[in-house]
Amino acid sequence: MIKGTLHHIEIYVNDLKATKSFWSWFLTRLQYKLYQDWETGFSFILGDTYIVFVQTEEKYRDNQYHRCYPGLNHIAFHVPERKDIDELTNEIREKGMTILYEDKHPHAGGKTYYALYFEDPNRIKVELVASQ
């Protein structure tokens, strides 16, 4: 049986500058390190897995991303403890970002599922899940 782990994810974005500002802050908080940086993209790495963001070419920018269309719905990350969710929730609010499912936060995924849901500047849903 072949065992495969995630190598990398590559996401094309409409606004590389806004994307870089957000994801640099967020991924650094999750202990990712800047891995690559070039004129039309950048990536962050943690262990053997990295996440790449690339500026979409002008000719392809007409079609806006929406997580309910076919394709990537969201990207989810583990954090060790519930207090990490609480801390990052406060930071997201301080940055003026919208928390998704606010009326059910932090149990939007169910009573035993402690998580934070929000969107990046490209409207990609981001999820943080507490392991404990």
Side-chain angles (χ1 to χ4, degrees):
M1 169 90 46
I2 296 173
K3 182 178 180 181
T5 59
L6 188 61
H7 186 265
H8 74 276
I9 298 170
E10 186 165 324
I11 302 171
Y12 278 45
V13 300
N14 278 324
D15 185 343
L16 188 65
K17 184 178 179 182
T19 299
K20 190 170 188 179
S21 176
F22 167 76
W23 284 98
S24 293
W25 163 77
F26 181 70
L27 291 174
T28 299
R29 292 288 287 121
L30 299 182
Q31 298 184 14
Y32 281 74
K33 303 288 184 208
L34 184 64
Y35 181 50
Q36 300 163 314
D37 194 7
W38 65 101
E39 185 178 334
T40 58
F42 64 97
S43 67
F44 275 79
I45 192 166
L46 180 64
D48 293 330
T49 304
Y50 61 100
I51 304 172
V52 182
F53 300 91
V54 178
Q55 177 65 61
T56 300
E57 292 180 41
E58 185 70 42
K59 64 183 176 181
Y60 297 116
R61 290 188 202 163
D62 289 343
N63 295 327
Q64 294 294 311
Y65 169 83
H66 194 288
R67 68 180 174 270
C68 292
Y69 293 152
L72 179 72
N73 176 266
H74 68 278
I75 185 167
F77 298 88
H78 281 283
V79 293
E81 300 178 37
R82 290 179 175 203
K83 69 177 181 144
D84 300 317
I85 297 289
D86 298 336
E87 184 177 314
L88 286 162
T89 297
N90 290 334
E91 291 180 37
I92 292 294
R93 285 184 177 131
E94 287 171 8
K95 291 184 172 295
M97 300 174 73
T98 301
I99 294 175
L100 301 173
Y101 325 117
E102 179 82 53
D103 60 326
K104 297 178 183 176
H105 176 75
H107 297 288
K111 289 184 179 182
T112 61
Y113 198 76
Y114 203 88
L116 166 64
Y117 302 86
F118 59 97
E119 290 180 330
D120 87 337
N122 297 282
R123 300 206 59 215
I124 295 172
K125 182 166 67 172
V126 181
E127 178 181 349
L128 287 173
V129 182
S131 298
Q132 299 176 346

PDB file of all heavy atoms in Angstrom, residues 49 53 55 67 84 102 106 131:
ATOM      1  N   THR A  49       5.465  20.110   4.121  1.00  0.00           N
ATOM      2  CA  THR A  49       4.314  20.625   3.385  1.00  0.00           C
ATOM      3  C   THR A  49       4.439  22.126   3.186  1.00  0.00           C
ATOM      4  O   THR A  49       4.780  22.851   4.108  1.00  0.00           O
ATOM      5  CB  THR A  49       3.012  20.313   4.158  1.00  0.00           C
ATOM      6  OG1 THR A  49       2.932  18.911   4.383  1.00  0.00           O
ATOM      7  CG2 THR A  49       1.793  20.780   3.393  1.00  0.00           C
ATOM      8  N   PHE A  53       1.079  30.593  -3.203  1.00  0.00           N
ATOM      9  CA  PHE A  53       0.098  31.562  -3.688  1.00  0.00           C
ATOM     10  C   PHE A  53       0.684  32.242  -4.918  1.00  0.00           C
ATOM     11  O   PHE A  53       1.813  32.728  -4.871  1.00  0.00           O
ATOM     12  CB  PHE A  53      -0.215  32.597  -2.613  1.00  0.00           C
ATOM     13  CG  PHE A  53      -0.785  31.982  -1.361  1.00  0.00           C
ATOM     14  CD1 PHE A  53       0.045  31.583  -0.329  1.00  0.00           C
ATOM     15  CD2 PHE A  53      -2.155  31.789  -1.242  1.00  0.00           C
ATOM     16  CE1 PHE A  53      -0.470  31.001   0.815  1.00  0.00           C
ATOM     17  CE2 PHE A  53      -2.680  31.209  -0.103  1.00  0.00           C
ATOM     18  CZ  PHE A  53      -1.841  30.805   0.932  1.00  0.00           C
ATOM     19  N   GLN A  55      -0.150  34.965  -8.279  1.00  0.00           N
ATOM     20  CA  GLN A  55      -1.019  35.978  -8.875  1.00  0.00           C
ATOM     21  C   GLN A  55      -1.633  35.427 -10.154  1.00  0.00           C
ATOM     22  O   GLN A  55      -0.924  34.984 -11.045  1.00  0.00           O
ATOM     23  CB  GLN A  55      -0.226  37.248  -9.202  1.00  0.00           C
ATOM     24  CG  GLN A  55      -1.025  38.333  -9.900  1.00  0.00           C
ATOM     25  CD  GLN A  55      -2.123  38.881  -9.016  1.00  0.00           C
ATOM     26  OE1 GLN A  55      -1.863  39.420  -7.957  1.00  0.00           O
ATOM     27  NE2 GLN A  55      -3.358  38.746  -9.465  1.00  0.00           N
ATOM     28  N   ARG A  67     -16.325  29.736  -2.953  1.00  0.00           N
ATOM     29  CA  ARG A  67     -16.094  28.406  -2.387  1.00  0.00           C
ATOM     30  C   ARG A  67     -17.223  27.416  -2.648  1.00  0.00           C
ATOM     31  O   ARG A  67     -17.048  26.226  -2.484  1.00  0.00           O
ATOM     32  CB  ARG A  67     -15.814  28.502  -0.893  1.00  0.00           C
ATOM     33  CG  ARG A  67     -16.981  28.938  -0.061  1.00  0.00           C
ATOM     34  CD  ARG A  67     -16.598  29.005   1.412  1.00  0.00           C
ATOM     35  NE  ARG A  67     -17.660  29.553   2.212  1.00  0.00           N
ATOM     36  CZ  ARG A  67     -17.816  30.831   2.474  1.00  0.00           C
ATOM     37  NH1 ARG A  67     -16.944  31.704   2.004  1.00  0.00           N
ATOM     38  NH2 ARG A  67     -18.817  31.245   3.200  1.00  0.00           N
ATOM     39  N   ASP A  84      -5.919  28.442  21.684  1.00  0.00           N
ATOM     40  CA  ASP A  84      -5.342  28.949  20.439  1.00  0.00           C
ATOM     41  C   ASP A  84      -6.427  29.487  19.518  1.00  0.00           C
ATOM     42  O   ASP A  84      -6.260  30.527  18.877  1.00  0.00           O
ATOM     43  CB  ASP A  84      -4.558  27.843  19.725  1.00  0.00           C
ATOM     44  CG  ASP A  84      -3.409  27.307  20.563  1.00  0.00           C
ATOM     45  OD1 ASP A  84      -2.694  28.120  21.195  1.00  0.00           O
ATOM     46  OD2 ASP A  84      -3.229  26.074  20.602  1.00  0.00           O
ATOM     47  N   GLU A 102     -20.814  33.291  12.905  1.00  0.00           N
ATOM     48  CA  GLU A 102     -20.583  33.965  14.192  1.00  0.00           C
ATOM     49  C   GLU A 102     -21.606  33.543  15.245  1.00  0.00           C
ATOM     50  O   GLU A 102     -21.270  33.387  16.417  1.00  0.00           O
ATOM     51  CB  GLU A 102     -20.625  35.485  13.992  1.00  0.00           C
ATOM     52  CG  GLU A 102     -20.425  36.289  15.251  1.00  0.00           C
ATOM     53  CD  GLU A 102     -18.984  36.471  15.657  1.00  0.00           C
ATOM     54  OE1 GLU A 102     -18.195  36.925  14.826  1.00  0.00           O
ATOM     55  OE2 GLU A 102     -18.645  36.165  16.824  1.00  0.00           O
ATOM     56  N   PRO A 106     -17.840  29.137  18.909  1.00  0.00           N
ATOM     57  CA  PRO A 106     -16.871  28.335  18.170  1.00  0.00           C
ATOM     58  C   PRO A 106     -17.332  26.904  17.876  1.00  0.00           C
ATOM     59  O   PRO A 106     -16.527  26.036  17.589  1.00  0.00           O
ATOM     60  CB  PRO A 106     -15.675  28.318  19.116  1.00  0.00           C
ATOM     61  CG  PRO A 106     -16.314  28.257  20.471  1.00  0.00           C
ATOM     62  CD  PRO A 106     -17.569  29.095  20.352  1.00  0.00           C
ATOM     63  N   SER A 131      -7.358  20.624  18.482  1.00  0.00           N
ATOM     64  CA  SER A 131      -7.211  19.176  18.675  1.00  0.00           C
ATOM     65  C   SER A 131      -7.841  18.726  19.969  1.00  0.00           C
ATOM     66  O   SER A 131      -8.285  17.593  20.092  1.00  0.00           O
ATOM     67  CB  SER A 131      -5.734  18.788  18.634  1.00  0.00           C
ATOM     68  OG  SER A 131      -5.183  19.106  17.359  1.00  0.00           O
TER      69      SER A 131
END
